Amino acid sequence: MNPSVIRELLKLTERPGIISFAGGLPSPDTFPIEAMREACDRVLTEDGRSALQYAASEGYGPLREWVAASLPWAVDPAQVLITTGSQQGLDLVAKVLIDSGSRVLVETPTYLGALQAFAPMEPQIEGVASDAGGVDVDALLQQLGAGDDQPESMERRRLLTLDLDPASSPVAAPRFLYVLPNFQNPTGRSMGLARRQALVAAAARVGLPLVEDNPYGDLWFDEPPPAPLTALNPEGCIYLGSFSKILAPGLRLGFMVAPASIYPKLLQAKQAADLHSPSFNQRVVAEVLKDGFLDRHVPTIRALYKRQCLAMLAALDNEMAGLDVQWNEPDGGMFLWVRLPEGMNATELLPKAVEHGVAFVPGSAFYADHADPRTLRLSFVTATVEQMGVGIAALARAIREQHGA
Ligand SMILES: Cc1ncc(COP(=O)(O)O)c(C=O)c1O
């Protein structure tokens, strides 16, 4: 485990007066405080003794049932494991699936917290070439030695289900591909249906397990994304979900859905990690979720984030004129991805940006290998619409100064 240079740099961004596009914090304006207060009261009144007691590692039954019923493929509640945030799901996946030296595949770029969760198990993490539509499936197959021109390598083919017996796996076969199909952190990009189908088919063909992380899938602006990868092949995927972005991250509640072949191992790792996720929080969330609460609540988050995203895009259009800066236009989530002019370096730009009163996360933090130093991540949900123009103008000034330097 190495201290992250980026984390050290980001301490700069916590100075008072800085407009921060750096943090991945959901807007606190979206937290359902009243609903939580009422649910806490009901849980303590009706079920206080159990709510404050130790409980089963799998999680609270009614919450597992809610999760199973909320997903768009047939899920048995017995396959659902409640976790302490989806971050713990990543940690459990690492403990169960990675041995020292195992190959693990990730998108380029990918979620920094996943790289951090995998690293202690000492994998060899490899980035898979990706474009604006997510993982490049042909490049993935080439990387696995399973491209169309190498049919003999199909000996690698394993069962189409997750197979944990290392003896049955070719030594060099990656343990899994970690993938974020919806409004990815850090880029904000999403995978279309055709790409999802191609990825799932390719992964099944070569026996590559997929670890699908979906904390942002509900935060779409105009239309919901296509079905999760796991819905296309539940036996070949581990699915991670979270209550952090649709209720509140301080609850530290997420979940995994895993095939029966691997669930007991994940449960064992969960037990060893923290026995169970907080019983009280699980009951409160189950209480809040009753009666279709999210159908009323989540649209308010979508509307707010869409407004903020549009404000940031408008500010970028205004302020970056004449600069060779590129950015994408996400259809949901919390982030967008910026590429600076040729020759610039986002890590070097950060101190200059902070001098001008604005912060971001340099993109290099999010690459397993071959980082693109020109990239950076902007969050459009933490700063207010009013701060957006000021912050992006400050960023443009910092870029002009650094670029001219
Ligand atoms: C892609 C991704 N996965 C997982 C997490 C962890 O979320 P939590 O542990 O709050 O559920 C985050 C948090 O930002 C994230 O962006």
Side-chain angles (χ1 to χ4, degrees):
M1 289 171 143
N2 293 311
S4 150
V5 177
I6 298 284
R7 280 209 189 278
E8 291 306 308
L9 255 178
L10 287 179
K11 286 188 187 153
L12 284 177
T13 69
E14 288 158 13
R15 283 193 201 152
I18 302 283
I19 294 178
S20 182
F21 301 133
L25 306 184
S27 167
D29 295 342
T30 67
F31 299 160
I33 294 175
E34 241 353 274
M36 293 289 300
R37 194 195 319 276
E38 286 165 21
C40 286
D41 199 37
R42 278 201 300 277
V43 166
L44 287 173
T45 307
E46 292 164 18
D47 203 14
R49 294 165 74 93
S50 315
L52 299 175
Q53 186 55 281
Y54 282 121
S57 300
E58 290 88 338
Y60 178 52
L63 187 58
R64 296 170 77 204
E65 282 161 24
W66 183 93
V67 167
S70 73
L71 293 169
W73 70 96
V75 178
D76 181 340
Q79 292 172 259
V80 177
L81 178 60
I82 303 295
T83 55
T84 305
S86 53
Q87 189 66 29
Q88 183 179 50
L90 295 169
D91 179 64
L92 301 181
V93 161
K95 285 174 172 161
V96 170
L97 287 179
I98 302 174
D99 294 305
S100 183
S102 307
R103 288 174 73 198
V104 165
L105 304 181
V106 299
E107 287 174 73
T108 303
T110 191
Y111 170 50
L112 170 61
L115 296 175
Q116 289 173 323
F118 302 156
M121 305 313 293
E122 303 181 327
Q124 276 179 271
I125 304 182
E126 294 171 29
V128 178
S130 310
D131 58 24
V135 173
D136 178 333
V137 179
D138 291 334
L140 170 69
L141 288 172
Q142 291 297 330
Q143 195 162 341
L144 293 170
D148 286 341
D149 51 337
Q150 295 163 307
E152 75 282 4
S153 65
M154 294 313 296
E155 286 157 26
R156 288 170 173 281
R157 194 185 310 196
R158 288 188 281 146
L159 293 175
L160 298 189
T161 54
L162 286 172
D163 183 351
L164 283 182
D165 178 4
S168 72
S169 311
V171 176
R175 293 298 167 88
F176 58 85
L177 166 64
Y178 169 67
V179 57
L180 298 119
N182 294 326
F183 320 123
Q184 197 225 25
N185 182 1
T187 59
R189 73 187 175 206
S190 291
M191 292 175 71
L193 179 60
R195 188 74 73 96
R196 290 176 199 232
Q197 289 167 333
L199 176 59
V200 170
R205 186 157 74 88
V206 298
L208 174 68
L210 298 177
V211 174
E212 177 176 27
D213 192 5
N214 187 22
Y216 302 104
D218 287 316
L219 304 183
W220 44 269
F221 297 156
D222 296 318
E223 53 183 304
L229 304 174
T230 308
L232 303 173
N233 182 16
E235 290 305 308
C237 302
I238 296 174
Y239 180 87
L240 308 183
S242 175
F243 293 105
S244 292
K245 311 303 189 310
I246 50 173
L247 287 178
L251 293 163
R252 304 310 305 126
L253 283 182
F255 54 88
M256 339 179 49
V257 179
S261 55
I262 191 175
Y263 187 95
K265 297 288 178 195
L266 293 165
L267 179 61
Q268 224 173 309
K270 165 74 184 166
Q271 233 157 17
D274 63 354
L275 303 181
H276 62 82
S277 299
S279 327
F280 180 70
N281 296 14
Q282 292 189 62
R283 278 177 166 75
V284 169
V285 166
E287 191 63 33
V288 167
L289 294 174
K290 264 189 193 165
D291 310 324
F293 175 78
L294 290 183
D295 296 340
R296 303 184 295 279
H297 180 60
V298 177
T300 63
I301 309 179
R302 288 180 195 134
L304 175 68
Y305 288 3
K306 179 179 175 182
R307 237 181 5 259
Q308 301 203 171
C309 182
L310 290 177
M312 182 172 272
L313 289 169
L316 285 164
D317 271 336
N318 282 339
E319 303 295 342
M320 300 293 170
L323 283 169
D324 179 26
V325 175
Q326 299 154 5
W327 58 90
N328 62 344
E329 299 190 2
D331 300 317
M334 298 183 10
F335 306 108
L336 61 80
W337 192 239
V338 173
R339 193 150 189 256
L340 297 169
E342 175 93 47
M344 284 198 74
N345 179 314
T347 307
E348 288 168 14
L349 178 67
L350 183 57
K352 171 75 67 191
V354 170
E355 267 173 40
H356 283 269
V358 65
F360 55 81
V361 185
S364 54
F366 301 99
Y367 290 82
D369 44 27
H370 311 299
D372 178 350
R374 290 166 61 184
T375 55
L376 59 93
R377 187 191 76 177
L378 297 180
S379 158
F380 48 78
V381 304
T382 317
T384 61
V385 165
E386 294 69 38
Q387 290 175 318
M388 219 58 97
V390 181
I392 296 294
L395 179 60
R397 276 198 304 280
I399 294 173
R400 283 205 169 82
E401 258 179 45
Q402 189 93 342
H403 199 37

